[in-house]
Amino acid sequence: MICALTSTTVVSCASERTTYLANGARGYSVSCRGFLNSWDSCLVKAGRICGTRGYDVINEDQYDRTLMFGCKSAAATAGK
């Protein structure tokens, strides 16, 4: 049991938290800590959350592996 808990702590998948941005829009904070996660894990997670709309980075800390972002609106991506 101790091995299983240790493995879970070390691997630690990217976690997300919903938040609100300064303009009132919904945003997300993603943390990609853990031995097997990298900065790319945060970027992949953001891409999965926002899909084809894309996202705007609000704040990032590559050292701490945290990313705050907001998904682009469908109207903003429709004109491209």
Side-chain angles (χ1 to χ4, degrees):
M1 177 137 175
I2 292 173
C3 256
L5 291 174
T6 303
S7 297
T8 303
T9 302
V10 170
V11 173
S12 181
C13 295
S15 63
E16 73 179 75
R17 181 175 58 93
T18 302
T19 187
Y20 288 92
L21 306 177
N23 65 0
R26 183 185 308 191
Y28 300 91
S29 178
V30 176
S31 175
C32 305
R33 297 182 183 129
F35 182 69
L36 296 178
N37 283 318
S38 67
W39 178 244
D40 290 339
S41 301
C42 282
L43 301 177
V44 168
K45 184 74 171 178
R48 287 185 180 153
I49 291 171
C50 294
T52 58
R53 294 180 292 166
Y55 57 91
D56 291 315
V57 174
I58 306 301
N59 190 11
E60 64 181 40
D61 184 347
Q62 291 186 25
Y63 177 76
D64 196 33
R65 289 182 278 182
T66 56
L67 174 67
M68 181 180 283
F69 62 95
C71 296
K72 293 181 180 180
S73 67
T77 58
K80 292 185 178 180

Coordinates of all heavy atoms in Angstrom, one line a residue:
M1 N 0.8 -1.2 0.0 CA 0.0 0.0 0.0 C 0.9 1.3 0.0 O 0.6 2.2 -0.7 CB -0.9 0.0 1.2 CG -1.8 1.2 1.3 SD -3.4 0.8 1.7 CE -4.1 2.3 1.9
I2 N 1.9 1.2 0.8 CA 2.8 2.4 0.8 C 3.4 2.6 -0.6 O 3.6 3.8 -1.0 CB 3.9 2.2 1.9 CG1 3.2 2.3 3.3 CG2 5.0 3.3 1.8 CD1 4.2 1.9 4.4
C3 N 3.8 1.6 -1.3 CA 4.4 1.7 -2.6 C 3.4 2.4 -3.5 O 3.7 3.2 -4.4 CB 4.7 0.3 -3.2 SG 6.5 0.0 -3.1
A4 N 2.1 2.0 -3.5 CA 1.1 2.5 -4.3 C 0.9 4.0 -4.1 O 0.8 4.8 -5.0 CB -0.2 1.8 -4.2
L5 N 0.9 4.4 -2.8 CA 0.7 5.8 -2.5 C 1.9 6.6 -2.9 O 1.8 7.8 -3.4 CB 0.5 6.0 -1.0 CG -0.8 5.5 -0.4 CD1 -0.8 5.6 1.1 CD2 -2.0 6.3 -1.0
T6 N 3.1 6.1 -2.8 CA 4.3 6.8 -3.2 C 4.4 7.0 -4.7 O 4.7 8.0 -5.2 CB 5.6 6.0 -2.7 OG1 5.5 5.9 -1.3 CG2 6.9 6.7 -3.1
S7 N 4.0 5.9 -5.4 CA 4.0 6.0 -6.9 C 3.0 7.1 -7.3 O 3.3 7.8 -8.3 CB 3.6 4.7 -7.5 OG 4.5 3.7 -7.2
T8 N 1.8 7.1 -6.7 CA 0.8 8.1 -7.1 C 1.3 9.5 -6.9 O 1.1 10.4 -7.7 CB -0.5 7.9 -6.3 OG1 -0.9 6.6 -6.5 CG2 -1.5 8.9 -6.7
T9 N 2.0 9.7 -5.8 CA 2.5 11.1 -5.4 C 3.6 11.5 -6.4 O 3.7 12.6 -6.8 CB 3.1 11.1 -4.0 OG1 2.1 10.7 -3.1 CG2 3.6 12.4 -3.6
V10 N 4.5 10.6 -6.7 CA 5.6 10.9 -7.6 C 5.2 11.2 -9.0 O 5.6 12.1 -9.7 CB 6.7 9.7 -7.6 CG1 7.7 9.9 -8.7 CG2 7.3 9.6 -6.2
V11 N 4.2 10.4 -9.6 CA 3.8 10.5 -10.9 C 2.9 11.8 -11.0 O 3.1 12.6 -11.9 CB 3.0 9.3 -11.4 CG1 2.4 9.5 -12.7 CG2 4.0 8.1 -11.4
S12 N 1.9 11.9 -10.2 CA 1.0 13.1 -10.1 C 0.7 13.7 -11.4 O 1.4 14.5 -12.0 CB 1.7 14.1 -9.2 OG 0.9 15.2 -9.1
C13 N -0.5 13.3 -11.9 CA -1.0 13.9 -13.2 C -1.2 15.4 -13.1 O -1.4 15.9 -12.0 CB -2.3 13.2 -13.6 SG -2.1 11.4 -13.9
A14 N -1.3 16.0 -14.2 CA -1.6 17.4 -14.3 C -3.0 17.6 -13.7 O -3.9 17.0 -14.1 CB -1.5 17.9 -15.7
S15 N -3.1 18.6 -12.8 CA -4.4 18.9 -12.2 C -4.8 20.2 -12.7 O -4.0 21.1 -13.0 CB -4.3 18.8 -10.7 OG -3.4 19.8 -10.2
E16 N -6.1 20.4 -12.7 CA -6.7 21.7 -13.2 C -7.7 22.2 -12.1 O -8.2 21.5 -11.3 CB -7.4 21.5 -14.5 CG -8.8 20.8 -14.3 CD -9.5 20.7 -15.7 OE1 -9.1 19.8 -16.5 OE2 -10.5 21.4 -15.8
R17 N -7.8 23.5 -12.1 CA -8.7 24.2 -11.2 C -9.4 25.3 -12.0 O -8.7 26.1 -12.7 CB -7.9 24.8 -10.1 CG -8.8 25.5 -9.0 CD -7.9 26.0 -7.9 NE -6.8 26.8 -8.2 CZ -6.9 28.2 -8.2 NH1 -8.0 28.8 -7.9 NH2 -5.8 28.9 -8.6
T18 N -10.7 25.4 -12.0 CA -11.4 26.5 -12.7 C -11.4 27.7 -11.8 O -11.5 27.7 -10.6 CB -12.9 26.1 -12.9 OG1 -12.9 24.9 -13.6 CG2 -13.6 27.1 -13.6
T19 N -11.2 28.9 -12.5 CA -11.1 30.1 -11.8 C -11.7 31.2 -12.7 O -12.2 30.9 -13.7 CB -9.6 30.5 -11.5 OG1 -9.6 31.7 -10.7 CG2 -8.8 30.7 -12.7
Y20 N -11.7 32.4 -12.2 CA -12.3 33.5 -13.0 C -11.2 34.5 -13.3 O -10.4 34.9 -12.3 CB -13.5 34.1 -12.4 CG -14.7 33.2 -12.5 CD1 -15.0 32.3 -11.5 CD2 -15.5 33.2 -13.7 CE1 -16.0 31.4 -11.6 CE2 -16.5 32.3 -13.8 CZ -16.8 31.4 -12.8 OH -17.8 30.5 -12.9
L21 N -11.1 35.0 -14.5 CA -10.1 36.0 -14.8 C -10.5 37.4 -14.5 O -11.7 37.6 -14.1 CB -9.8 35.9 -16.3 CG -9.5 34.5 -16.8 CD1 -9.3 34.5 -18.3 CD2 -8.2 34.0 -16.1
A22 N -9.6 38.4 -14.6 CA -9.9 39.8 -14.2 C -11.1 40.3 -15.0 O -11.9 41.2 -14.5 CB -8.7 40.6 -14.5
N23 N -11.3 39.9 -16.2 CA -12.4 40.4 -17.1 C -13.7 39.7 -16.8 O -14.7 39.9 -17.5 CB -12.1 40.4 -18.5 CG -11.9 38.9 -19.1 OD1 -12.0 38.0 -18.3 ND2 -11.6 38.8 -20.3
G24 N -13.7 38.7 -15.9 CA -14.9 38.0 -15.5 C -15.1 36.7 -16.3 O -16.0 35.9 -15.9
A25 N -14.3 36.5 -17.3 CA -14.4 35.2 -18.0 C -13.8 34.0 -17.2 O -13.0 34.2 -16.3 CB -13.6 35.3 -19.3
R26 N -14.3 32.9 -17.6 CA -13.8 31.7 -16.9 C -12.4 31.4 -17.4 O -12.1 31.5 -18.5 CB -14.7 30.5 -17.2 CG -14.3 29.2 -16.5 CD -15.0 28.0 -16.9 NE -16.5 28.3 -16.8 CZ -17.4 27.3 -16.9 NH1 -17.1 26.1 -17.1 NH2 -18.7 27.7 -16.8
G27 N -11.6 31.0 -16.4 CA -10.2 30.6 -16.7 C -9.8 29.3 -16.1 O -10.6 28.8 -15.3
Y28 N -8.6 28.9 -16.3 CA -8.2 27.6 -15.7 C -6.8 27.8 -15.2 O -5.9 28.5 -15.8 CB -8.2 26.5 -16.8 CG -9.6 26.3 -17.3 CD1 -10.0 26.9 -18.4 CD2 -10.4 25.4 -16.7 CE1 -11.3 26.7 -19.0 CE2 -11.7 25.2 -17.2 CZ -12.1 25.8 -18.3 OH -13.4 25.6 -18.8
S29 N -6.5 27.1 -14.1 CA -5.1 27.0 -13.6 C -4.7 25.6 -13.6 O -5.4 24.7 -13.1 CB -5.1 27.6 -12.2 OG -3.8 27.5 -11.6
V30 N -3.6 25.3 -14.3 CA -3.2 23.9 -14.4 C -1.8 23.8 -13.7 O -0.9 24.6 -13.9 CB -3.0 23.5 -15.9 CG1 -2.4 22.1 -16.1 CG2 -4.4 23.6 -16.6
S31 N -1.7 22.7 -12.9 CA -0.4 22.4 -12.3 C 0.1 21.1 -12.8 O -0.6 20.1 -12.8 CB -0.7 22.4 -10.7 OG 0.5 22.0 -10.1
C32 N 1.3 21.1 -13.2 CA 1.9 19.9 -13.8 C 3.1 19.4 -13.0 O 4.2 19.2 -13.5 CB 2.3 20.1 -15.2 SG 0.9 20.7 -16.2
R33 N 3.0 19.3 -11.7 CA 4.1 18.9 -10.9 C 4.2 17.4 -10.9 O 3.3 16.7 -11.3 CB 3.8 19.4 -9.4 CG 3.9 20.9 -9.4 CD 3.7 21.4 -8.0 NE 3.6 22.8 -8.0 CZ 2.7 23.5 -7.4 NH1 1.8 22.9 -6.7 NH2 2.7 24.8 -7.4
G34 N 5.2 16.9 -10.4 CA 5.4 15.4 -10.3 C 6.6 15.0 -11.2 O 7.0 15.7 -12.1
F35 N 7.2 14.0 -10.8 CA 8.4 13.5 -11.4 C 8.3 13.3 -12.9 O 9.2 13.6 -13.7 CB 8.9 12.2 -10.7 CG 10.2 11.7 -11.2 CD1 11.4 12.4 -11.0 CD2 10.2 10.5 -12.0 CE1 12.6 11.9 -11.5 CE2 11.4 10.0 -12.5 CZ 12.6 10.7 -12.2
L36 N 7.2 12.7 -13.4 CA 7.1 12.4 -14.8 C 6.4 13.5 -15.6 O 6.3 13.3 -16.8 CB 6.4 11.1 -15.0 CG 7.1 9.8 -14.4 CD1 6.2 8.6 -14.5 CD2 8.4 9.7 -15.0
N37 N 6.0 14.5 -15.0 CA 5.4 15.6 -15.8 C 6.4 16.7 -16.2 O 7.4 16.8 -15.5 CB 4.3 16.3 -14.9 CG 3.0 15.5 -14.9 OD1 2.6 15.0 -15.9 ND2 2.4 15.5 -13.7
S38 N 6.2 17.3 -17.3 CA 7.0 18.4 -17.7 C 6.2 19.6 -18.1 O 5.0 19.6 -17.9 CB 7.8 17.9 -19.0 OG 6.9 17.8 -20.1
W39 N 6.8 20.7 -18.5 CA 6.1 21.9 -18.9 C 5.2 21.5 -20.0 O 4.1 22.1 -20.1 CB 7.1 23.0 -19.3 CG 6.4 24.2 -19.8 CD1 6.5 24.7 -21.0 CD2 5.6 25.1 -19.0 NE1 5.7 25.9 -21.1 CE2 5.2 26.1 -19.9 CE3 5.1 25.0 -17.7 CZ2 4.3 27.1 -19.5 CZ3 4.2 26.1 -17.3 CH2 3.8 27.1 -18.2
D40 N 5.6 20.7 -20.9 CA 4.7 20.3 -22.0 C 3.4 19.7 -21.6 O 2.4 19.8 -22.2 CB 5.4 19.3 -23.0 CG 6.6 20.0 -23.7 OD1 6.5 21.2 -23.9 OD2 7.5 19.3 -24.2
S41 N 3.4 19.0 -20.4 CA 2.2 18.4 -19.8 C 1.2 19.5 -19.6 O 0.0 19.3 -19.8 CB 2.5 17.7 -18.5 OG 3.4 16.7 -18.7
C42 N 1.6 20.7 -19.1 CA 0.7 21.8 -18.9 C 0.1 22.3 -20.2 O -1.1 22.6 -20.3 CB 1.4 23.0 -18.2 SG 1.7 22.7 -16.5
L43 N 0.9 22.4 -21.2 CA 0.5 22.9 -22.5 C -0.5 21.9 -23.2 O -1.5 22.3 -23.8 CB 1.7 23.2 -23.5 CG 2.7 24.2 -22.9 CD1 3.9 24.3 -23.9 CD2 2.1 25.5 -22.7
V44 N -0.2 20.6 -23.1 CA -1.1 19.6 -23.6 C -2.5 19.7 -22.9 O -3.6 19.6 -23.5 CB -0.5 18.2 -23.5 CG1 -1.5 17.1 -23.8 CG2 0.7 18.1 -24.5
K45 N -2.4 19.8 -21.6 CA -3.7 19.9 -20.8 C -4.5 21.1 -21.2 O -5.7 21.0 -21.3 CB -3.3 19.9 -19.3 CG -4.5 19.9 -18.4 CD -5.1 18.6 -18.3 CE -6.2 18.5 -17.2 NZ -6.8 17.2 -17.1
A46 N -3.8 22.2 -21.4 CA -4.6 23.5 -21.8 C -5.2 23.2 -23.2 O -6.3 23.6 -23.4 CB -3.6 24.6 -21.9
G47 N -4.5 22.6 -24.1 CA -5.0 22.3 -25.4 C -6.2 21.4 -25.3 O -7.2 21.6 -26.1
R48 N -6.2 20.4 -24.5 CA -7.3 19.5 -24.3 C -8.6 20.2 -23.7 O -9.7 19.9 -24.1 CB -7.0 18.3 -23.4 CG -6.0 17.4 -24.1 CD -5.8 16.1 -23.3 NE -4.9 15.2 -24.0 CZ -4.1 14.4 -23.5 NH1 -4.0 14.3 -22.1 NH2 -3.3 13.6 -24.2
I49 N -8.3 21.1 -22.8 CA -9.4 21.8 -22.2 C -10.1 22.7 -23.2 O -11.3 22.8 -23.3 CB -9.0 22.6 -20.9 CG1 -8.6 21.7 -19.8 CG2 -10.0 23.6 -20.5 CD1 -7.9 22.3 -18.6
C50 N -9.3 23.5 -24.0 CA -9.9 24.5 -24.9 C -10.2 24.0 -26.3 O -11.0 24.6 -27.0 CB -9.0 25.7 -25.0 SG -8.8 26.6 -23.4
G51 N -9.6 22.9 -26.6 CA -9.9 22.3 -27.9 C -9.4 23.1 -29.1 O -8.4 23.8 -29.0
T52 N -10.2 23.2 -30.1 CA -9.9 23.9 -31.3 C -9.9 25.4 -31.2 O -9.4 26.1 -32.0 CB -10.8 23.5 -32.5 OG1 -12.1 23.7 -32.1 CG2 -10.6 22.0 -32.8
R53 N -10.6 25.9 -30.1 CA -10.6 27.3 -29.9 C -9.3 27.9 -29.6 O -9.0 29.1 -29.8 CB -11.6 27.7 -28.7 CG -13.0 27.3 -29.1 CD -13.9 27.7 -27.9 NE -13.6 26.8 -26.8 CZ -14.0 27.0 -25.5 NH1 -14.7 28.0 -25.2 NH2 -13.7 26.1 -24.6
G54 N -8.4 27.2 -29.0 CA -7.1 27.7 -28.5 C -7.2 28.4 -27.2 O -8.3 28.5 -26.6
Y55 N -6.1 28.9 -26.7 CA -6.2 29.6 -25.4 C -5.2 30.8 -25.4 O -4.2 30.8 -26.2 CB -5.8 28.6 -24.3 CG -4.5 27.9 -24.4 CD1 -3.4 28.4 -23.9 CD2 -4.4 26.7 -25.1 CE1 -2.1 27.8 -24.0 CE2 -3.2 26.0 -25.3 CZ -2.1 26.6 -24.7 OH -0.9 25.9 -24.8
D56 N -5.4 31.7 -24.5 CA -4.5 32.8 -24.2 C -3.9 32.6 -22.8 O -4.6 32.3 -21.8 CB -5.3 34.1 -24.2 CG -5.8 34.5 -25.5 OD1 -5.0 34.4 -26.5 OD2 -7.0 34.9 -25.6
V57 N -2.6 32.6 -22.8 CA -1.8 32.5 -21.5 C -2.0 33.7 -20.7 O -1.7 34.8 -21.2 CB -0.4 32.1 -21.7 CG1 0.4 32.1 -20.4 CG2 -0.2 30.8 -22.5
I58 N -2.4 33.6 -19.4 CA -2.6 34.7 -18.5 C -1.3 34.9 -17.7 O -0.8 35.9 -17.5 CB -3.8 34.6 -17.6 CG1 -5.1 34.3 -18.5 CG2 -4.0 35.8 -16.7 CD1 -5.4 35.4 -19.5
N59 N -0.9 33.7 -17.2 CA 0.3 33.7 -16.3 C 0.9 32.3 -16.4 O 0.2 31.3 -16.5 CB -0.1 34.0 -14.8 CG 1.1 34.2 -13.9 OD1 2.2 34.4 -14.4 ND2 0.8 34.3 -12.6
E60 N 2.3 32.3 -16.4 CA 2.9 31.0 -16.5 C 4.2 31.0 -15.6 O 4.8 32.0 -15.4 CB 3.3 30.6 -17.9 CG 4.3 31.5 -18.5 CD 4.7 31.2 -19.9 OE1 3.8 30.7 -20.7 OE2 5.9 31.3 -20.3
D61 N 4.5 29.9 -15.0 CA 5.7 29.7 -14.2 C 6.3 28.3 -14.6 O 5.8 27.3 -14.1 CB 5.4 29.7 -12.8 CG 6.6 29.7 -11.9 OD1 7.7 29.3 -12.4 OD2 6.5 30.0 -10.7
Q62 N 7.2 28.3 -15.6 CA 7.8 27.1 -16.1 C 8.6 26.4 -15.0 O 8.6 25.1 -15.0 CB 8.6 27.3 -17.3 CG 7.7 27.7 -18.5 CD 8.5 27.8 -19.8 OE1 9.6 27.2 -19.9 NE2 8.0 28.6 -20.7
Y63 N 9.2 27.1 -14.1 CA 10.0 26.5 -13.0 C 9.1 25.7 -12.1 O 9.3 24.6 -11.7 CB 10.7 27.6 -12.2 CG 11.5 27.0 -11.1 CD1 12.7 26.3 -11.3 CD2 11.0 27.1 -9.8 CE1 13.4 25.8 -10.2 CE2 11.7 26.6 -8.7 CZ 12.9 25.9 -8.9 OH 13.6 25.4 -7.9
D64 N 7.9 26.3 -11.7 CA 7.0 25.7 -10.8 C 6.0 24.8 -11.5 O 5.2 24.1 -10.9 CB 6.2 26.8 -10.0 CG 5.5 26.2 -8.8 OD1 6.0 25.3 -8.2 OD2 4.5 26.8 -8.4
R65 N 6.0 24.9 -12.9 CA 5.1 24.2 -13.8 C 3.6 24.4 -13.5 O 2.8 23.5 -13.2 CB 5.4 22.7 -13.7 CG 6.7 22.4 -14.4 CD 7.0 20.9 -14.5 NE 7.6 20.6 -13.2 CZ 8.0 19.4 -12.8 NH1 7.9 18.4 -13.7 NH2 8.5 19.1 -11.6
T66 N 3.3 25.7 -13.5 CA 1.9 26.1 -13.4 C 1.5 27.1 -14.5 O 2.4 27.9 -14.9 CB 1.6 26.8 -12.0 OG1 2.5 28.0 -11.9 CG2 1.8 25.9 -10.8
L67 N 0.3 26.9 -15.0 CA -0.1 27.7 -16.1 C -1.5 28.2 -15.9 O -2.4 27.4 -15.5 CB -0.1 26.8 -17.4 CG -0.6 27.4 -18.7 CD1 0.2 28.6 -19.2 CD2 -0.7 26.4 -19.8
M68 N -1.8 29.5 -16.0 CA -3.1 30.0 -15.9 C -3.5 30.6 -17.3 O -2.7 31.3 -18.0 CB -3.2 31.2 -14.9 CG -4.6 31.7 -14.8 SD -4.8 33.1 -13.7 CE -4.8 32.2 -12.1
F69 N -4.7 30.2 -17.8 CA -5.0 30.5 -19.2 C -6.5 30.7 -19.3 O -7.3 30.2 -18.4 CB -4.5 29.5 -20.2 CG -5.1 28.1 -19.9 CD1 -6.2 27.7 -20.6 CD2 -4.5 27.3 -19.0 CE1 -6.7 26.4 -20.4 CE2 -5.0 26.0 -18.8 CZ -6.2 25.6 -19.5
G70 N -7.0 31.3 -20.4 CA -8.4 31.4 -20.7 C -8.6 30.9 -22.1 O -7.8 31.2 -23.0
C71 N -9.6 30.1 -22.3 CA -10.0 29.7 -23.7 C -10.4 30.9 -24.5 O -11.1 31.7 -24.0 CB -11.1 28.6 -23.7 SG -10.6 27.1 -22.8
K72 N -10.0 30.9 -25.8 CA -10.5 31.9 -26.7 C -12.0 31.6 -27.0 O -12.4 30.5 -27.0 CB -9.7 31.9 -28.0 CG -8.3 32.3 -27.8 CD -7.5 32.2 -29.1 CE -6.1 32.7 -28.9 NZ -5.3 32.6 -30.1
S73 N -12.7 32.7 -27.3 CA -14.1 32.6 -27.6 C -14.3 32.0 -29.0 O -13.4 32.2 -29.8 CB -14.9 33.9 -27.4 OG -14.4 34.8 -28.4
A74 N -15.4 31.4 -29.2 CA -15.7 30.8 -30.5 C -15.8 32.0 -31.6 O -15.4 31.8 -32.7 CB -17.0 30.0 -30.5
A75 N -16.3 33.1 -31.2 CA -16.4 34.3 -32.1 C -15.0 34.8 -32.5 O -14.8 35.1 -33.6 CB -17.2 35.4 -31.4
A76 N -14.0 34.7 -31.6 CA -12.7 35.2 -31.9 C -12.0 34.3 -32.9 O -11.2 34.7 -33.7 CB -11.9 35.3 -30.6
T77 N -12.3 33.0 -32.8 CA -11.6 32.0 -33.7 C -12.3 31.9 -35.0 O -11.8 31.4 -36.0 CB -11.4 30.7 -33.0 OG1 -12.7 30.2 -32.6 CG2 -10.5 30.8 -31.8
A78 N -13.6 32.3 -35.1 CA -14.4 32.1 -36.3 C -13.9 33.0 -37.5 O -14.0 32.7 -38.6 CB -15.9 32.4 -36.0
G79 N -13.4 34.2 -37.1 CA -12.9 35.1 -38.1 C -11.6 34.8 -38.8 O -11.1 35.4 -39.7
K80 N -10.9 33.8 -38.3 CA -9.6 33.4 -38.8 C -9.6 32.4 -39.9 O -10.4 31.6 -40.1 CB -8.7 32.9 -37.6 CG -8.4 34.0 -36.6 CD -7.5 33.5 -35.6 CE -7.1 34.6 -34.6 NZ -6.3 34.2 -33.6

